[in-house]
Amino acid sequence: MLVQEKRNRPLQNRAIIPAEPHYAAGFRAKHISSAKIQGYIYISSHSLGSVGLSLCQIPGHEGCLVFGQIKGKSCVFMQGRFHLYEGYSLCKVTFPMRIFKLMGVETIVVTNASGGLCQDFKVGDIMVIKDHINLPGFAGQHPLCGPNDERFGIRFPCMSDAYSKDLRKLVLDITAELGYSNFVREGVYCMVSGPNFETIAEARMLHILGSDSVGMSTVPEVTVAKHCGLRVLGLSLITNKVSLDYSREEKVNHEEVLQISKMRAEMLQNVLLTFIARSHQVETINNSNCIYSNAV
């Protein structure tokens, strides 16, 4: 596979990719500044496709991988992801998580855009995900169905702590220090398969079930990451208010989602850069040697 720099200048071989990246994180391409990443290495969607890892081509998702270092910590960023609604199997959707595990990644940061169900949430809020509801999983669409590969994890993994409490506390402390507390929340994310946005009746049901926001991704990757023994931090940007009222006439659209994402891009980047720089605080608490990489 040919690895290319952002300027499309061919690099010699894959050996230049940092061995055992520490963090994996997912971001839209415009949220990543190459100036913040040392040893910036860009792998195009075309090159990824040659080895069966061509990522999502939905608008706003570049479908590329970026390797580099932030504050001396090796990272890999996914610029895009696979979605169930694109027709991919859940095995394909979650494939990058197992690749990252084999690369030596120990911490995954997932980000997404979601619709706010909690009436206290506002458009532009950042929700730190404390738990999730796997609605497709209730219907048998689950990434861990089928033979279990013991190399990655046990047959019946616990998901009650899918999102690391220590990582959530650290990111909440960071957002407070950055002055973002007025638009940072904690909540429960619910995944639906999509691609349509929810009906009012569906949104009401999800709200009753305890969902604070709803989206069409993330949960399969988190489930497999947790199965692999990876620590997970989840951040969800509230890009629209989901209608729970039949009298409302506003309709959500993908362009609105992209616009709000662009508005908060720099702030999300500040949070993640600080989080990566200070993650050793959690490592010290847990007496663990964390390796970093990044995916959304």
Side-chain angles (χ1 to χ4, degrees):
M1 176 176 64
L2 180 65
V3 179
Q4 295 183 324
E5 199 176 12
K6 184 64 176 177
R7 294 187 300 274
N8 292 322
R9 179 171 58 86
L11 299 172
Q12 292 183 351
N13 56 51
R14 65 184 181 87
I16 60 174
I17 295 177
E20 297 190 345
H22 292 217
Y23 287 95
F27 248 151
R28 289 185 174 86
K30 56 181 171 289
H31 290 186
I32 301 176
S33 170
S34 59
K36 303 290 185 180
I37 304 175
Q38 296 176 337
Y40 189 86
I41 299 171
Y42 175 93
I43 304 179
S44 70
S45 58
H46 176 74
S47 296
L48 291 173
S50 68
V51 293
L53 195 59
S54 180
L55 299 177
C56 167
Q57 295 299 309
I58 300 298
H61 296 256
E62 296 298 316
C64 305
L65 285 179
V66 174
F67 289 81
Q69 289 198 337
I70 294 177
K71 303 295 184 180
K73 297 174 180 178
S74 298
C75 304
V76 51
F77 294 86
M78 283 178 64
Q79 297 180 327
R81 55 150 51 96
F82 298 109
H83 294 90
L84 188 60
Y85 61 73
E86 294 178 272
Y88 293 115
S89 68
L90 285 175
C91 179
K92 183 86 168 182
V93 169
T94 58
F95 182 62
M97 298 302 105
R98 291 194 169 110
I99 293 296
F100 292 148
K101 172 66 176 179
L102 294 174
M103 289 171 63
V105 168
E106 291 188 1
T107 301
I108 297 286
V109 182
V110 292
T111 67
N112 64 41
S114 67
L117 290 165
C118 177
Q119 296 305 291
D120 293 333
F121 287 4
K122 298 179 177 62
V123 171
D125 282 352
I126 298 172
M127 185 183 81
V128 179
I129 304 175
K130 67 178 180 182
D131 204 351
H132 68 232
I133 295 176
N134 184 3
L135 209 57
F138 290 174
Q141 289 272 11
H142 198 286
L144 299 181
C145 282
N148 183 58
D149 191 334
E150 297 290 338
R151 294 175 301 171
F152 292 105
I154 60 176
R155 170 77 278 187
F156 302 107
C158 177
M159 288 291 152
S160 62
D161 59 345
Y163 301 87
S164 167
K165 184 177 180 179
D166 291 331
L167 296 183
R168 285 190 282 123
K169 183 180 185 304
L170 175 59
V171 83
L172 287 171
D173 289 343
I174 288 170
T175 55
E177 292 169 12
L178 291 173
Y180 297 165
S181 293
N182 62 325
F183 57 83
V184 173
R185 311 282 182 254
E186 260 196 307
V188 176
Y189 173 83
C190 179
M191 179 194 172
V192 295
S193 62
N196 63 280
F197 293 107
E198 301 71 37
T199 68
I200 293 175
E202 290 167 346
R204 287 179 170 184
M205 179 194 72
L206 298 179
H207 189 234
I208 291 171
L209 288 176
S211 305
D212 294 302
S213 76
V214 57
M216 305 173 192
S217 66
T218 303
V219 171
E221 297 101 303
V222 170
T223 301
V224 169
K226 180 63 178 175
H227 177 251
C228 290
L230 303 177
R231 299 187 307 169
V232 178
L233 172 69
L235 300 175
S236 187
L237 178 62
I238 306 301
T239 53
N240 62 281
K241 290 282 287 183
V242 178
S243 179
L244 301 174
D245 185 351
Y246 284 101
S247 64
R248 286 185 58 186
E249 296 185 1
E250 304 97 305
K251 291 183 174 65
V252 65
N253 60 78
H254 191 62
E255 289 70 28
E256 177 186 2
V257 171
L258 294 178
Q259 182 179 359
I260 299 300
S261 297
K262 182 177 180 180
M263 180 185 75
R264 285 288 190 231
E266 184 176 350
M267 292 177 178
L268 280 169
Q269 180 174 266
N270 290 340
V271 171
L272 276 188
L273 292 176
T274 308
F275 170 80
I276 291 172
R278 291 176 48 183
S279 58
H280 65 278
Q281 296 177 3
V282 174
E283 295 165 32
T284 302
I285 293 172
N286 292 336
N287 294 318
S288 63
N289 296 317
C290 185
I291 301 180
Y292 305 94
S293 174
N294 210 351
V296 172

